[in-house]
Amino acid sequence: MTELSNGISEPNKAALAKPLMARFKWVRALFYASAVGNFIMLIGVVLVFSTDFSGYNPDVDITTSDMFVGIGALLYLPAFLGSVVAFSMFSYRAMKNLHIWESRSAEMSPGWAVGWYFVPIANLWKPYQAMEQIWDGSNEVVSGKLISNSKIGLWWALWIVTSIASRISDGMSKMDGPWNIVLKQAAVVDLIAVLSSIVAIFLIVPTLKMIAERQDGKLQSESFE
């Protein structure tokens, strides 16, 4: 039984790492559920452009657009909150495994791989660095090679666009009429936010799957050593 520099024996060290696929499946399901909610809201946003808001009273009137947006939001919100928890658990465990395997790419701690998402200003770039380290490390521990993945950068850029557009839209929705102008201008911003969110989901899910497959593959290979 070989002792490592940190005092953990090789067999015991391997036993500390845990599989990711089950966590990935939860992330994928919740991400896709939020994408469905976003798509329903997208229908409502598109309907805004063909709706006549003359005489519209936001405190009383409910349009077809409002109904689609409301139904979509009811699905999106719980799915999004669930995906935050599932994605955090996935990211923590993925980075934790890399530290156990002493990956040179895993420079960030498992806790900060999750924590940076909730730190203002730093959350503009630190989460991207965390995901890039997880991707690089997962490839490194399997093949010893670093494989570039431009989807990670595009995913994070789209997520930033989603966040900014959502905040702009929230501000615009508090403006007073004329509603034919205000609501349709806000709908343009909503369209950007919803579309970028949907595309971001479909970019990151395959990347997370490959991370899970690589790390779980290493775990399986270790079990036969």
Side-chain angles (χ1 to χ4, degrees), residues 1-203:
M1 186 177 293
T2 304
E3 292 290 334
L4 300 171
S5 58
N6 58 7
I8 302 176
S9 64
E10 189 68 49
N12 288 335
K13 185 174 183 181
L16 290 174
K18 295 181 180 179
L20 282 177
M21 189 54 69
R23 289 175 172 82
F24 162 72
K25 288 179 179 178
W26 275 106
V27 173
R28 179 177 59 187
L30 289 164
F31 272 1
Y32 283 168
S34 65
V36 171
N38 264 322
F39 182 76
I40 295 172
M41 286 191 285
L42 178 63
I43 296 173
V45 171
V46 171
L47 287 174
V48 168
F49 297 106
S50 60
T51 301
D52 183 5
F53 291 97
S54 301
Y56 175 74
N57 184 342
D59 297 323
V60 178
D61 299 328
I62 299 177
T63 65
T64 303
S65 170
D66 292 332
M67 288 189 289
F68 272 100
V69 170
I71 293 170
L74 285 175
L75 175 59
Y76 172 79
L77 184 58
F80 173 74
L81 294 175
S83 68
V84 169
V85 175
F87 182 73
S88 296
M89 293 174 65
F90 177 94
S91 299
Y92 180 90
R93 173 43 58 182
M95 187 67 85
K96 181 71 172 179
N97 285 348
L98 294 178
H99 278 274
I100 291 169
W101 290 321
E102 298 180 339
S103 166
R104 292 170 297 177
S105 298
E107 299 176 358
M108 194 176 292
S109 71
W112 279 115
V114 175
W116 284 123
Y117 285 89
F118 306 98
V119 179
I121 308 301
N123 61 8
L124 293 174
W125 75 91
K126 283 291 187 180
Y128 162 73
Q129 291 179 345
M131 184 54 61
E132 201 170 43
Q133 287 179 26
I134 290 172
W135 169 260
D136 288 342
S138 299
N139 285 291
E140 176 202 329
V141 297
V142 172
S143 63
K145 299 178 181 179
L146 297 181
I147 303 172
S148 63
N149 185 349
S150 59
K151 290 181 180 179
I152 295 176
L154 185 54
W155 156 71
W156 190 245
L158 287 170
W159 177 248
I160 295 296
V161 169
T162 299
S163 299
I164 293 174
S166 296
R167 292 178 184 180
I168 294 174
S169 175
D170 287 342
M172 294 179 71
S173 65
K174 297 173 184 177
M175 297 170 61
D176 293 327
W179 298 111
N180 265 324
I181 296 176
V182 171
L183 292 179
K184 290 178 181 180
Q185 288 178 338
V188 173
V189 182
D190 286 333
L191 196 63
I192 295 171
V194 174
L195 284 174
S196 59
S197 177
I198 293 173
V199 175
I201 288 171
F202 283 95
L203 281 173

